């Protein structure tokens, strides 16, 4: 059973930066596929960035050039660097993982992932 715990959320002004972390435990596979999703009340959860565990990434168009996803397999942690934040980036951000390799085209699909964290709130003020 994989457990995921997010941290690093907070409140920032537009143009600011945050770094989200997702600590994973319970998996011995250092090449798990993983992703960040976000959700605002009343809307469907949206895939933001994903990584397949082999160096291949995928980003939502809305965050390309501003967000960077990375993995540190040595400490089983997934990161999301958020820069040039906008008010529309405000959401609860969730970490998701799968104990298998997911195709790049499927990295931002909710259905690709079995394990989910409880989320961390990001609030961006104008």
């Amino acid at each position: 059973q994989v457990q995921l715990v997010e941290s690093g959320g907070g409140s920032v002004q537009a143009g600011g930066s945050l770094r989200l972390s997702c600590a994973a435990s319970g998996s011995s596979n250092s090449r798990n596929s993983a992703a960040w999703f976000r959700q605002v009340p009343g809307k469907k959860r949206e895939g933001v960035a994903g990584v397949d565990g082999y160096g291949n990434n995928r980003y939502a168009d809305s965050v390309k050039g501003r967000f960077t996803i990375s993995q540190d397999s040595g400490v089983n942690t997934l990161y999301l660097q958020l820069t040039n934040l906008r008010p529309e980036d405000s959401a609860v951000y969730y970490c998701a993982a799968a104990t298998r390799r997911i195709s790049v085209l499927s990295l931002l699909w909710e259905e690709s992932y079995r394990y989910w964290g409880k989320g961390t709130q990001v609030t961006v003020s104008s």
Side-chain angles (χ1 to χ4, degrees):
Q1 185 77 8
V2 176
Q3 294 182 328
L4 304 173
V5 179
E6 302 96 335
S7 61
S11 297
V12 297
Q13 290 192 325
S17 299
L18 284 172
R19 188 194 196 201
L20 306 184
S21 299
C22 173
S25 60
S27 172
S28 59
N29 185 356
S30 63
R31 291 185 178 270
N32 290 335
S33 294
W36 289 95
F37 288 74
R38 65 186 181 187
Q39 189 172 27
V40 297
K43 290 193 175 182
K44 193 176 182 292
R45 192 150 48 183
E46 171 194 24
V48 173
V51 58
D52 71 352
Y54 289 80
N56 301 300
N57 303 333
R58 186 174 180 86
Y59 293 93
D61 289 343
S62 59
V63 307
K64 279 181 184 175
R66 301 189 299 121
F67 292 7
T68 303
I69 190 170
S70 61
Q71 282 177 310
D72 186 337
S73 58
V75 292
N76 280 345
T77 302
L78 181 73
Y79 301 100
L80 186 67
Q81 180 71 44
L82 295 74
T83 62
N84 193 18
L85 282 160
R86 305 166 180 168
E88 55 264 37
D89 294 318
S90 297
V92 177
Y93 282 71
Y94 297 91
C95 171
T99 53
R100 60 182 180 87
R101 185 175 182 179
I102 295 172
S103 69
V104 173
L105 288 177
S106 304
L107 282 174
L108 301 185
W109 296 356
E110 225 179 317
E111 298 77 13
S112 298
Y113 299 93
R114 180 177 179 183
Y115 303 103
W116 292 83
K118 294 185 177 181
T120 185
Q121 176 71 47
V122 171
T123 303
V124 185
S125 57
S126 57

